[in-house]
Amino acid sequence: MVTIADVARHAGVAPSTVSYVLTGKRSISPQTRTKVRESIRLLGYHPHAGARALATSRANVVALVLPLRPGVHLPVLMRFVTAAVTTARRYDMDVLLVTADQGAQGLRRVAGSAQVDGFLVMDVELDDERVPLLRQMAQPSVLIGRPAAAKGLTCVDLDFEAAGARCVDHLADLGHRYIGFLGAPSVVYQRNTGYAQRTMAGFGAAAMRRGIASTAMPAEDDYESVLASVRSLLRTQPAMTALVVHNEAALGWIAGSLRALGRRVPDDVAVVAICPDELAEQMQLTSVQLPAEELGRQATELLVARLNGHPTAPLTLLPPKLSGRASTAPRLRRA
């Protein structure tokens, strides 16, 4: 069995240095850290979990709290999960996926079991019932998302208000004056989920600022529902020439629904989506990137920093990035 002393000899460092690289208790230079990790990889060293826990008073496990409930789009959420797990492994930590939708009670149960060192919390609502408990728990936490009252918390998120506004500004700059908004499933708004409410608020505020006539409504994730929602938007606003879509599950039905209603993309209706870049590229949609991987990585790194006693920013907001593709065109193109 390969020992920590074997790794130290191979890397040309002291055993304590290898320990610090594994635990993160002390700052190690990037060159030394890389050398030690390469020796760990080459020798196939695996720290003994029990001994490591006794030595560090840690389980070296973080909980990723991800309630699986209606309105949650699993393909996108798995991007967050993959990024969090990959990043945690870089710090020699495992991830416990907590999927039961038990709210604060579920958090309390896991926190009291001493199985995890900290929490990554997703699907955050504006008035999230888990927030008071997160402030009180001994284990640190990082939220991917942010509640209305974020004081005393560590949060990382896309600036969804700015994302909604960026979509409007892009379309307004192209000459569009009647813009619709197709949002998440209705149950997501009923739960007062932060990302959905903030995006719609940013969209509405930007439309008012730019003098744009706008209409917004939720959309479910099947073709008939998307078609009905698009039909309602056009009935409410017959002059609509642009559409912002913040619903990854509905994106595959947008072009077909517009075609069924006699509209072409982008000649009659320009479309901007808020979604992962890979999805937008497949459909050639102008989009504001949903940086799921970056959010998952940053959240995990913030949690590791908190576990190691390092100061962290209370709120990290990623600015929206818009990429133009074939689904938008100047309003004059129709003429």
Side-chain angles (χ1 to χ4, degrees):
M1 180 183 293
V2 178
T3 67
I4 198 169
D6 296 328
V7 173
R9 279 193 296 272
H10 188 274
V13 299
S16 59
T17 301
V18 178
S19 178
Y20 294 144
V21 170
L22 292 171
T23 64
K25 276 191 170 182
R26 289 192 184 177
S27 179
I28 302 296
S29 71
Q31 296 89 341
T32 300
R33 190 165 57 246
T34 299
K35 185 164 56 175
V36 169
R37 286 179 175 162
E38 181 65 11
S39 294
I40 289 172
R41 186 186 68 80
L42 290 172
L43 296 178
Y45 172 67
H46 298 285
H48 186 275
R52 182 178 59 195
L54 288 172
T56 64
S57 299
R58 286 192 193 173
N60 269 38
V61 178
V62 298
L64 177 58
V65 184
L66 175 59
L68 300 181
R69 48 192 182 182
V72 172
H73 188 55
L74 286 178
V76 171
L77 285 183
M78 286 309 299
R79 294 172 181 264
F80 289 94
V81 174
T82 301
V85 170
T86 302
T87 306
R89 288 310 309 155
R90 292 212 320 265
Y91 294 95
D92 198 35
M93 303 187 77
D94 295 315
V95 175
L96 173 66
L97 191 60
V98 181
T99 58
D101 185 14
Q102 299 173 352
Q105 180 182 352
L107 269 182
R108 189 176 288 108
R109 174 179 56 79
V110 176
S113 70
Q115 291 178 300
V116 302
D117 302 314
F119 292 84
L120 295 168
V121 182
M122 295 186 63
D123 201 32
V124 179
E125 299 168 7
L126 291 179
D127 302 309
D128 203 303
E129 66 165 6
R130 299 170 295 182
V131 164
L133 179 60
L134 290 171
R135 291 195 179 102
Q136 298 167 8
M137 289 191 316
Q139 297 98 328
S141 61
V142 174
L143 284 68
I144 303 178
R146 55 188 172 122
K151 185 177 180 181
L153 302 172
T154 301
C155 305
V156 58
D157 205 4
L158 174 66
D159 189 340
F160 280 101
E161 289 100 333
R166 183 71 183 88
C167 295
V168 172
D169 286 333
H170 173 74
L171 293 167
D173 291 344
L174 291 174
H176 296 278
R177 292 294 175 265
Y178 299 87
I179 303 175
F181 180 93
L182 206 61
S186 55
V187 67
V188 174
Y189 296 101
Q190 291 165 12
R191 288 198 300 262
N192 213 18
T193 306
Y195 73 86
Q197 297 286 9
R198 293 181 188 281
T199 304
M200 189 177 285
F203 169 86
M208 291 182 64
R209 172 172 50 83
R210 296 296 298 262
I212 301 296
S214 66
T215 304
M217 62 177 53
E220 309 310 318
D221 56 2
D222 62 272
Y223 173 70
E224 292 300 330
S225 298
V226 173
L227 176 62
S229 295
V230 174
R231 182 184 288 115
S232 294
L233 283 174
L234 288 168
R235 185 182 299 122
T236 303
Q237 194 165 253
M240 184 183 83
T241 62
L243 181 63
V244 175
V245 183
H246 187 205
N247 184 328
E248 296 90 352
L251 282 177
W253 309 116
I254 296 299
S257 297
L258 287 168
R259 268 197 312 273
L261 298 169
R263 301 320 201 264
R264 298 166 298 167
V265 178
D267 296 15
D268 302 311
V269 177
V271 177
V272 178
I274 301 174
C275 67
D277 262 359
E278 182 180 334
L279 185 58
E281 288 171 359
Q282 289 173 0
M283 300 183 182
Q284 278 302 291
L285 293 170
T286 293
S287 69
V288 167
Q289 179 191 12
L290 175 60
E293 291 85 358
E294 178 67 11
L295 289 169
R297 181 188 67 78
Q298 286 207 28
T300 308
E301 289 181 343
L302 283 168
L303 183 56
V304 170
R306 293 199 63 190
L307 286 168
N308 292 330
H310 302 314
T312 57
L315 176 62
T316 302
L317 282 182
L318 304 186
K321 299 178 181 178
L322 186 141
S323 299
R325 297 186 181 89
S327 67
T328 55
R331 177 69 188 93
L332 293 177
R333 177 171 171 174
R334 186 177 181 187

